[in-house]
Amino acid sequence: EAGVTQFPSHSVIEKGQTVTLRCDPISGHDNLYWYRRVMGKEIKFLLHFVKESKQDESGMPNNRFLAERTGGTYSTLKVQPAELEDSGVYFCASRGLGPTDTQYFGPGTRLTVL
Amino acid sequence: QKEVEQNSGPLSVPEGAIASLNCTYSDRGSQSFFWYRQYSGKSPELIMSIYSNGDKEDGRFTAQLNKASQYVSLLIRDSQPSDSATYLCAVSLREYGNKLVFGAGTILRVKS
């Protein structure tokens, strides 16, 4: 069974540009989470999808971030326009429906905004 | 006060020794507790999960939970150089969609 995949693995963009990150969860996992780790800080929650619905987006930093999960399969996280402070590693995780099911993390996308 | 606190380390132990990693959390409603291992440049990998007070053992790893003290720990027996990594403590609440709240992590170095 394939794990969580993310694309791209690295992205270097200039301030003001747009970047779209993609996450493909484990097949059959309805729960999909986005997290971010900025340099020197702990991993922080961004948002949570259940199927195609946003369950909790309390961690989204501001309206420059837009997440979608069309059809309840893969998810995209768009940053527009990117700012320097958006640099970090963006992780996606997916989880099954059981209350104690594990969150499995993808390899992450390292975003550098210059 | 941070929601999940860990000593950043590094914690250095000799090969074959027991490594003890500690974590405290602030939300008494937390229901699930996890230890993730993260190698440099890699994604977090689940090592242990624990949901009730007491000890839970899995191979060389033992997780200990004390909800009254809001404390969770991870013991690694017979530490190996391959255990050298950052260990992340995380907690979650079902009412918040099981989102994980992470500590900053403890760097463990096992010297051969």
Side-chain angles (χ1 to χ4, degrees):
Chain A
E1 179 184 280
V4 179
T5 58
Q6 293 185 245
F7 181 84
S9 57
H10 293 84
S11 181
V12 181
I13 61 173
E14 293 191 352
K15 176 182 172 181
Q17 290 186 320
T18 297
V19 62
T20 300
L21 314 180
R22 173 170 169 146
C23 168
D24 286 77
I26 292 171
S27 178
H29 279 190
D30 287 337
N31 291 279
L32 187 150
Y33 304 81
W34 283 98
Y35 296 89
R36 176 175 75 171
R37 185 169 202 168
V38 297
M39 182 77 75
K41 301 284 189 180
E42 63 269 27
I43 296 173
K44 291 250 183 186
F45 167 81
L46 295 178
L47 88 158
H48 171 209
F49 283 100
V50 178
K51 297 185 180 179
E52 68 276 6
S53 299
K54 290 178 186 174
Q55 193 75 12
D56 178 0
E57 50 185 333
S58 61
M60 295 286 263
N62 50 61
N63 59 10
R64 295 186 294 103
F65 289 74
L66 175 63
E68 295 180 325
R69 192 182 182 195
T70 307
T73 54
Y74 71 91
S75 175
T76 57
L77 179 64
K78 182 193 290 188
V79 184
Q80 179 182 30
E83 298 289 345
L84 300 179
E85 63 265 26
D86 301 332
S87 296
V89 182
Y90 290 76
F91 291 105
C92 173
S94 72
R95 184 177 69 84
L97 277 178
T100 59
D101 280 359
T102 299
Q103 285 192 35
Y104 293 94
F105 280 75
T109 293
R110 181 173 296 276
L111 174 64
T112 302
V113 183
L114 302 176
Chain B
Q1 181 190 9
K2 289 188 176 181
E3 293 181 77
V4 178
E5 297 216 44
Q6 297 180 252
N7 188 323
S8 61
L11 172 66
S12 293
V13 300
E15 184 175 357
I18 295 175
S20 177
L21 304 164
N22 305 313
C23 170
T24 58
Y25 60 94
S26 61
D27 192 333
R28 285 196 170 274
S30 299
Q31 295 166 308
S32 305
F33 306 86
F34 306 90
W35 284 99
Y36 282 83
R37 178 176 63 196
Q38 188 176 26
Y39 293 112
S40 181
K42 302 294 185 181
S43 60
E45 173 194 10
L46 184 69
I47 297 297
M48 292 286 288
S49 58
I50 187 166
Y51 305 100
S52 55
N53 280 329
D55 295 359
K56 179 181 177 183
E57 186 175 320
D58 183 0
R60 295 187 296 112
F61 300 95
T62 299
Q64 299 173 316
L65 174 62
N66 183 326
K67 290 187 178 180
S69 299
Q70 296 174 245
Y71 175 90
V72 59
S73 67
L74 179 70
L75 300 178
I76 306 174
R77 288 181 298 282
D78 188 24
S79 296
Q80 301 297 307
S82 58
D83 294 327
S84 298
T86 297
Y87 288 80
L88 305 170
C89 174
V91 307
S92 72
L93 282 81
R94 281 194 287 277
E95 65 193 77
Y96 294 140
N98 290 82
K99 69 180 181 184
L100 295 173
V101 179
F102 283 91
T106 298
I107 298 170
L108 173 66
R109 293 183 181 147
V110 181
K111 300 177 184 176
S112 57

